[in-house]
Amino acid sequence: MPIYRFNCEKCDTSFEKIVKMGTTETTCECGEVAEKDYAGSMLFSSTGLPNGHNSIRSKVRSS
């Protein structure tokens, strides 16, 4: 699941949260709705990948 950055206009806070793809807003700690920061970066949390998956990817690209 991706990690998105959200901004809350009420308390002027920005924070990151793991949410489902396509999520555009979530609730801030202050209770207001925080909107997704489209200019911010999107990160992915990846687990369960085999060791050396980067070397496998580089071999495919060089072929």
Side-chain angles (χ1 to χ4, degrees):
M1 290 203 326
I3 302 171
Y4 288 112
R5 178 172 293 281
F6 292 90
N7 294 321
C8 177
E9 291 184 11
K10 181 181 179 187
C11 64
D12 197 32
T13 304
S14 70
F15 57 94
E16 295 176 345
K17 189 172 182 179
I18 299 174
V19 294
K20 291 182 181 180
M21 288 190 82
T23 301
T24 58
E25 57 188 32
T26 188
T27 304
C28 180
E29 290 180 2
C30 72
E32 277 297 308
V33 174
E35 295 187 6
K36 184 165 68 170
D37 178 6
Y38 287 96
S41 61
M42 179 178 72
L43 307 171
F44 286 91
S45 173
S46 59
T47 58
L49 295 175
N51 290 337
H53 70 279
N54 287 332
S55 62
I56 294 169
R57 184 178 293 159
S58 64
K59 289 177 186 178
V60 171
R61 287 182 185 165
S62 64
S63 298

